PDB file of all heavy atoms in Angstrom:
ATOM      1  N   PRO A  99      -5.757  84.659 107.540  1.00 98.00           N
ATOM      2  CA  PRO A  99      -5.808  85.394 106.158  1.00 98.00           C
ATOM      3  C   PRO A  99      -6.355  86.783 106.459  1.00 98.00           C
ATOM      4  O   PRO A  99      -7.322  86.999 107.318  1.00 98.00           O
ATOM      5  CB  PRO A  99      -6.825  84.616 105.298  1.00 98.00           C
ATOM      6  CG  PRO A  99      -7.664  83.821 106.293  1.00 98.00           C
ATOM      7  CD  PRO A  99      -6.741  83.593 107.493  1.00 98.00           C
ATOM      8  N   VAL A 195      10.079  98.192  99.799  1.00 98.00           N
ATOM      9  CA  VAL A 195       9.974  96.753 100.123  1.00 98.00           C
ATOM     10  C   VAL A 195      11.119  95.971  99.454  1.00 98.00           C
ATOM     11  O   VAL A 195      11.651  96.395  98.435  1.00 98.00           O
ATOM     12  CB  VAL A 195       8.642  96.083  99.733  1.00 98.00           C
ATOM     13  CG1 VAL A 195       7.485  96.918 100.351  1.00 98.00           C
ATOM     14  CG2 VAL A 195       8.501  95.961  98.208  1.00 98.00           C
ATOM     15  N   LEU A 206       5.166  88.360  87.345  1.00 98.00           N
ATOM     16  CA  LEU A 206       4.295  89.475  87.841  1.00 98.00           C
ATOM     17  C   LEU A 206       5.129  90.477  88.667  1.00 98.00           C
ATOM     18  O   LEU A 206       5.074  91.634  88.389  1.00 98.00           O
ATOM     19  CB  LEU A 206       3.159  88.898  88.636  1.00 98.00           C
ATOM     20  CG  LEU A 206       2.161  88.015  87.967  1.00 98.00           C
ATOM     21  CD1 LEU A 206       1.136  87.424  88.837  1.00 98.00           C
ATOM     22  CD2 LEU A 206       1.347  88.796  86.820  1.00 98.00           C
ATOM     23  N   ARG A 209       7.506  92.757  86.715  1.00 98.00           N
ATOM     24  CA  ARG A 209       6.752  93.798  86.019  1.00 98.00           C
ATOM     25  C   ARG A 209       6.425  94.954  87.058  1.00 98.00           C
ATOM     26  O   ARG A 209       6.485  96.164  86.673  1.00 98.00           O
ATOM     27  CB  ARG A 209       5.487  93.308  85.527  1.00 98.00           C
ATOM     28  CG  ARG A 209       5.671  92.407  84.165  1.00 98.00           C
ATOM     29  CD  ARG A 209       5.978  93.264  82.906  1.00 98.00           C
ATOM     30  NE  ARG A 209       4.899  94.159  82.587  1.00 98.00           N
ATOM     31  CZ  ARG A 209       3.855  93.760  81.810  1.00 98.00           C
ATOM     32  NH1 ARG A 209       3.914  92.566  81.248  1.00 98.00           N
ATOM     33  NH2 ARG A 209       2.982  94.593  81.480  1.00 98.00           N
ATOM     34  N   VAL A 251      -7.625  65.559  84.988  1.00 97.00           N
ATOM     35  CA  VAL A 251      -7.711  66.040  86.320  1.00 97.00           C
ATOM     36  C   VAL A 251      -6.406  66.776  86.674  1.00 97.00           C
ATOM     37  O   VAL A 251      -5.315  66.121  86.688  1.00 97.00           O
ATOM     38  CB  VAL A 251      -7.982  64.988  87.381  1.00 97.00           C
ATOM     39  CG1 VAL A 251      -8.061  65.634  88.797  1.00 97.00           C
ATOM     40  CG2 VAL A 251      -9.340  64.390  87.041  1.00 97.00           C
ATOM     41  N   GLU A 269       0.466  65.254 104.375  1.00 98.00           N
ATOM     42  CA  GLU A 269      -0.111  66.478 104.913  1.00 98.00           C
ATOM     43  C   GLU A 269       0.187  67.680 104.018  1.00 98.00           C
ATOM     44  O   GLU A 269      -0.613  68.584 103.757  1.00 98.00           O
ATOM     45  CB  GLU A 269       0.304  66.692 106.278  1.00 98.00           C
ATOM     46  CG  GLU A 269      -0.305  67.907 106.969  1.00 98.00           C
ATOM     47  CD  GLU A 269       0.189  68.125 108.426  1.00 98.00           C
ATOM     48  OE1 GLU A 269       1.221  67.493 108.832  1.00 98.00           O
ATOM     49  OE2 GLU A 269      -0.464  68.861 109.121  1.00 98.00           O
ATOM     50  N   TRP A 310      11.823  95.044  80.364  1.00 98.00           N
ATOM     51  CA  TRP A 310      13.296  94.720  80.344  1.00 98.00           C
ATOM     52  C   TRP A 310      14.089  96.040  80.120  1.00 98.00           C
ATOM     53  O   TRP A 310      15.181  96.213  80.741  1.00 98.00           O
ATOM     54  CB  TRP A 310      13.642  93.749  79.317  1.00 98.00           C
ATOM     55  CG  TRP A 310      13.586  92.330  79.754  1.00 98.00           C
ATOM     56  CD1 TRP A 310      12.769  91.306  79.263  1.00 98.00           C
ATOM     57  CD2 TRP A 310      14.452  91.680  80.694  1.00 98.00           C
ATOM     58  NE1 TRP A 310      13.045  90.167  79.976  1.00 98.00           N
ATOM     59  CE2 TRP A 310      14.097  90.380  80.755  1.00 98.00           C
ATOM     60  CE3 TRP A 310      15.472  92.234  81.408  1.00 98.00           C
ATOM     61  CZ2 TRP A 310      14.745  89.463  81.671  1.00 98.00           C
ATOM     62  CZ3 TRP A 310      16.202  91.285  82.346  1.00 98.00           C
ATOM     63  CH2 TRP A 310      15.764  89.970  82.414  1.00 98.00           C
ATOM     64  N   ARG A 312      13.371  98.881  81.204  1.00 98.00           N
ATOM     65  CA  ARG A 312      13.422  99.637  82.477  1.00 98.00           C
ATOM     66  C   ARG A 312      14.276  98.854  83.470  1.00 98.00           C
ATOM     67  O   ARG A 312      14.992  99.550  84.284  1.00 98.00           O
ATOM     68  CB  ARG A 312      11.996  99.812  82.980  1.00 98.00           C
ATOM     69  CG  ARG A 312      11.159 100.760  82.096  1.00 98.00           C
ATOM     70  CD  ARG A 312       9.819 101.099  82.781  1.00 98.00           C
ATOM     71  NE  ARG A 312       8.909 100.070  82.890  1.00 98.00           N
ATOM     72  CZ  ARG A 312       8.094  99.731  81.887  1.00 98.00           C
ATOM     73  NH1 ARG A 312       8.116 100.299  80.752  1.00 98.00           N
ATOM     74  NH2 ARG A 312       7.207  98.671  82.111  1.00 98.00           N
ATOM     75  N   PRO A 319      19.926  96.903  94.576  1.00 98.00           N
ATOM     76  CA  PRO A 319      20.412  95.596  94.801  1.00 98.00           C
ATOM     77  C   PRO A 319      19.432  94.471  94.342  1.00 98.00           C
ATOM     78  O   PRO A 319      18.223  94.438  94.576  1.00 98.00           O
ATOM     79  CB  PRO A 319      20.567  95.483  96.305  1.00 98.00           C
ATOM     80  CG  PRO A 319      20.926  96.884  96.629  1.00 98.00           C
ATOM     81  CD  PRO A 319      20.028  97.733  95.796  1.00 98.00           C
ATOM     82  N   SER A 327      18.425  72.261  90.141  1.00 95.00           N
ATOM     83  CA  SER A 327      17.665  71.185  89.522  1.00 95.00           C
ATOM     84  C   SER A 327      16.289  71.665  88.987  1.00 95.00           C
ATOM     85  O   SER A 327      15.254  71.079  89.340  1.00 95.00           O
ATOM     86  CB  SER A 327      17.409  70.077  90.609  1.00 95.00           C
ATOM     87  OG  SER A 327      18.666  69.553  91.058  1.00 95.00           O
ATOM     88  N   PRO A 343      21.643  96.171  86.095  1.00 98.00           N
ATOM     89  CA  PRO A 343      22.829  96.707  86.854  1.00 98.00           C
ATOM     90  C   PRO A 343      22.846  96.544  88.334  1.00 98.00           C
ATOM     91  O   PRO A 343      23.907  96.469  88.905  1.00 98.00           O
ATOM     92  CB  PRO A 343      22.731  98.247  86.468  1.00 98.00           C
ATOM     93  CG  PRO A 343      21.430  98.405  85.989  1.00 98.00           C
ATOM     94  CD  PRO A 343      20.928  97.152  85.425  1.00 98.00           C
TER      95      PRO A 343
END
Side-chain angles (χ1 to χ4, degrees):
V195 307
L206 297 172
R209 286 285 295 272
V251 177
E269 181 180 17
W310 269 113
R312 294 190 292 274
S327 301

